[in-house]
Amino acid sequence: MQPLQATTDLRDELASVFDRQRRFAPQMALTTSQERIERIKRVQDWMLSHQPELETAMYNDFRKPSAEVALGELMSVNAEIKHIIKNLKRWMRPQRLPTPLSLIGTKSHIRHEPKGNVLIIAPWNYPFALIAKPLVSAIAAGNVCMLKPSEMTPHTAALISRMVRELFPIDEVAVFEGDADVSKALLDLPFNHIFFTGSPAVGRIVMTAAARHLASVTLELGGKSPAIVDDSANVRQAAEQLTWGKCLNNGQTCIAPDYVLVHESIREPFLEAMRNCLKHMYSPDGQPVEASASYARIVNRQHFQRIRSLVDEAVQQGATVSIGGRMNEAENFIEPTVLEQVTDSMRVMQEEIFGPVLPVLTYRTLDDALSRVNQRDKPLALYIHSRNREHTQYILDRTSAGDTVVNDTLLQFGNVELPFGGVNNSGLGKSNGFFSFQEFSNQRGVMQRDFGTMKFIFPPYTDRVKKLINWAVKFS
């Protein structure tokens, strides 16, 4: 009976905090742009002044290099905060709209009002950035928030809890650490909006829970993001960018390239360029990759075993390891690994890999490549490496993806002016900059009549009234 009692205590605590925040939400909605910016600056100042502690926490969680903490975590959050500070006052102003001729005498505008009680569930792969970015956007829109960091990165989760306790009263922002039971209990509460980052499988669970309360959702998911390298591409540059994009954070990035389609005529130079890139990035002095201070680890034993099983099964079914392949279970270490001769029946081509393993396939025509891409769910990202503008346009016109990057990798997440998010299985809703502000806001339409009336179309519907209605239809 003890676990049941613990669960009951947990649910009571969550409900108590939720009710406190719901009571405070109307007051939070009335805050000015400057009051919201002051709150957001607290996060910025704390983050920058505690950078060494954040670096240590993420190193302890999965040996993330300090440079990747700065690049993948702090830079994106700081850019988001600066963008909000610069633009929030303008975003909060009523947005005036044109008036059709048939509604002359009225004026209309859109108000961005906060949705209210917001839940943010963050993943483990970028454990600080993927909770801090939606948090500052939710505050910018005037919401109160409950946060759930991932239990798989406990050192970072503890630091996030400390940050929130130091910066915000519990009526505004609260953090709850714990496992899936905490997430399930949170999802039972009637939030107005849920922002979730994670896998499509868990995204479906979140969306089902939200549907019980008709809550809106932002789902940043993932899937198998392809890269197409055509015969006009700068092979060395493409190999450099894809190697970096695949190995950053040990491949545990939702927008990492998940497989590469390379034109058959450049297969050999592409693979050779990848070998050279891997040596330059992770073995510049001839030491093994395992000794590199620039290379992270898989987050835990469970995920290590999952990725190893994908590789082992593929090899058993006929795939070949062209590059890498070394693994060390004691350290959750997987060397950058390139697989060839893979088929669509293999799990490595059916599941998101989320590790430093990259299947490389060849194609003869662009239509062959696009057929491979379009038979799958729409990806979160699509990467095109080409110096042929017609090829690039051809691919863009015949595919769909959350975002697309041409002749680079991963950079879409860092542009605060660009909407970031997936399509269907890879996600719902958009984030970054104003798009995040919109996600956390209700776009409330407001119409006001200044003069005139519409009573000339009220019943009874005489021939004259019908004529006026038909005139309104024509000029609406």
Side-chain angles (χ1 to χ4, degrees):
M1 293 300 294
Q2 185 62 33
L4 180 61
Q5 182 63 45
T7 300
T8 301
D9 292 343
L10 168 66
R11 290 181 178 276
D12 288 345
E13 181 183 1
L14 295 178
S16 174
V17 173
F18 179 87
D19 287 340
R20 285 183 62 172
Q21 291 197 348
R22 183 159 54 182
R23 290 193 297 271
F24 184 75
Q27 185 176 335
M28 186 67 182
L30 294 175
T31 51
T32 65
S33 60
Q34 281 306 117
E35 289 170 330
R36 297 178 190 181
I37 286 171
E38 186 275 328
R39 288 166 167 83
I40 292 167
K41 282 183 175 179
R42 294 179 205 167
V43 176
Q44 183 183 40
D45 293 342
W46 196 97
M47 175 186 74
L48 296 177
S49 63
H50 291 77
Q51 180 172 344
E53 292 170 79
L54 287 165
E55 291 172 354
T56 299
M58 280 177 261
Y59 184 86
N60 290 337
D61 282 330
F62 56 117
R63 285 185 60 173
K64 179 177 279 196
S66 59
E68 292 189 1
V69 173
L71 179 66
E73 307 268 356
L74 309 188
M75 183 183 292
S76 61
V77 177
N78 201 41
E80 186 84 0
I81 289 172
K82 288 182 176 180
H83 190 63
I84 291 171
I85 291 171
K86 180 181 178 181
N87 294 286
L88 183 57
K89 186 175 182 180
R90 176 170 58 85
W91 293 347
M92 288 176 63
R93 291 192 194 114
Q95 179 185 340
R96 295 186 62 180
L97 302 172
T99 300
L101 182 61
S102 59
L103 295 176
I104 192 168
T106 68
K107 60 184 178 184
S108 302
H109 68 269
I110 293 173
R111 289 171 54 93
H112 287 92
E113 60 184 20
K115 288 186 174 179
N117 287 69
V118 166
L119 171 63
I120 298 171
I121 302 178
W124 51 264
N125 58 327
Y126 290 88
F128 182 78
L130 295 181
I131 207 166
K133 276 191 72 172
L135 171 62
V136 296
S137 296
I139 293 172
N143 298 281
V144 293
C145 304
M146 294 174 72
L147 312 177
K148 168 60 175 70
S150 174
E151 70 278 13
M152 293 189 193
T153 46
H155 297 89
T156 311
L159 205 53
I160 290 168
S161 294
R162 176 182 147 198
M163 177 186 76
V164 169
R165 287 195 306 270
E166 292 178 5
L167 300 185
F168 299 102
I170 201 170
D171 293 0
E172 295 183 18
V173 184
V175 179
F176 290 91
E177 297 180 63
D179 58 14
D181 288 339
V182 177
S183 296
K184 291 175 183 176
L186 284 165
L187 288 170
D188 284 337
L189 296 170
F191 287 96
N192 301 115
H193 187 79
I194 301 173
F195 191 107
F196 169 79
T197 306
S199 70
V202 181
R204 292 184 181 91
I205 296 172
V206 171
M207 195 168 184
T208 299
R212 292 198 295 268
H213 305 292
L214 294 179
S216 56
V217 295
T218 305
L219 304 179
E220 294 195 349
L221 308 178
K224 298 193 72 65
S225 294
I228 299 174
V229 184
D230 77 3
D231 55 356
S232 74
N234 182 323
V235 174
R236 181 188 59 80
Q237 177 178 288
E240 282 180 341
Q241 292 165 346
L242 291 170
T243 298
W244 173 72
K246 188 60 178 177
C247 294
L248 179 76
N249 205 41
N250 213 210
Q252 298 164 120
T253 303
C254 61
I255 53 174
D258 212 66
Y259 64 101
V260 177
L261 293 159
V262 60
H263 193 272
E264 61 182 8
S265 66
I266 58 170
R267 170 189 165 273
E268 282 294 342
F270 176 78
L271 291 174
E272 184 60 26
M274 284 198 76
R275 291 186 186 95
N276 292 333
C277 292
L278 286 167
K279 181 179 179 181
H280 175 74
M281 292 178 184
Y282 303 112
S283 302
D285 299 323
Q287 81 278 15
V289 176
E290 196 168 357
S292 173
S294 300
Y295 195 69
R297 294 294 186 267
I298 300 302
V299 69
N300 58 29
R301 187 64 50 82
Q302 176 186 349
H303 281 275
F304 171 89
Q305 292 173 342
R306 178 187 60 81
I307 298 168
R308 182 171 64 180
S309 72
L310 293 178
V311 175
D312 290 346
E313 179 193 85
V315 171
Q316 290 167 7
Q317 295 179 3
T320 58
V321 178
S322 296
I323 299 174
R326 290 188 64 254
M327 302 185 188
N328 182 349
E329 184 173 0
E331 290 194 3
N332 296 327
F333 166 79
I334 298 178
E335 188 178 21
T337 300
V338 171
L339 296 177
E340 292 191 279
Q341 307 302 320
V342 295
T343 64
D344 289 337
S345 63
M346 299 174 182
R347 282 173 53 225
V348 76
M349 286 301 292
Q350 295 173 355
E351 301 176 14
E352 183 177 9
I353 298 169
F354 227 65
V357 176
L358 185 64
V360 173
L361 304 88
T362 60
Y363 72 92
R364 290 186 177 181
T365 69
L366 274 182
D367 286 332
D368 292 338
L370 299 187
S371 177
R372 300 294 294 267
V373 171
N374 289 331
Q375 70 183 0
R376 305 179 187 280
D377 291 322
K378 296 175 181 180
L380 181 58
L382 169 65
Y383 300 106
I384 303 170
H385 294 268
S386 174
R387 288 182 287 191
N388 186 317
R389 292 184 180 181
E390 291 182 2
H391 284 187
T392 299
Q393 193 62 48
Y394 191 87
I395 295 168
L396 287 170
D397 289 343
R398 289 162 177 79
T399 56
S400 178
D403 289 289
T404 294
V405 179
V406 180
N407 293 328
D408 218 314
T409 314
L410 304 188
L411 300 188
Q412 67 273 35
F413 186 70
N415 186 349
V416 293
E417 300 284 358
L418 197 67
F420 177 84
V423 186
N424 301 129
N425 191 70
S426 57
L428 298 174
K430 299 293 182 180
S431 62
N432 270 9
F434 180 67
F435 303 97
S436 290
F437 177 78
Q438 281 189 314
E439 285 291 297
F440 288 109
S441 301
N442 172 46
Q443 297 177 59
R444 181 179 183 178
V446 179
M447 177 183 281
Q448 174 180 325
R449 179 169 290 282
D450 288 339
F451 63 89
T453 179
M454 294 292 287
K455 67 179 183 180
F456 56 85
I457 61 170
F458 295 170
Y461 297 123
T462 63
D463 289 342
R464 179 176 177 275
V465 171
K466 291 178 186 178
K467 187 175 181 180
L468 289 171
I469 291 174
N470 287 332
W471 177 87
V473 169
K474 182 178 179 180
F475 290 100
S476 61

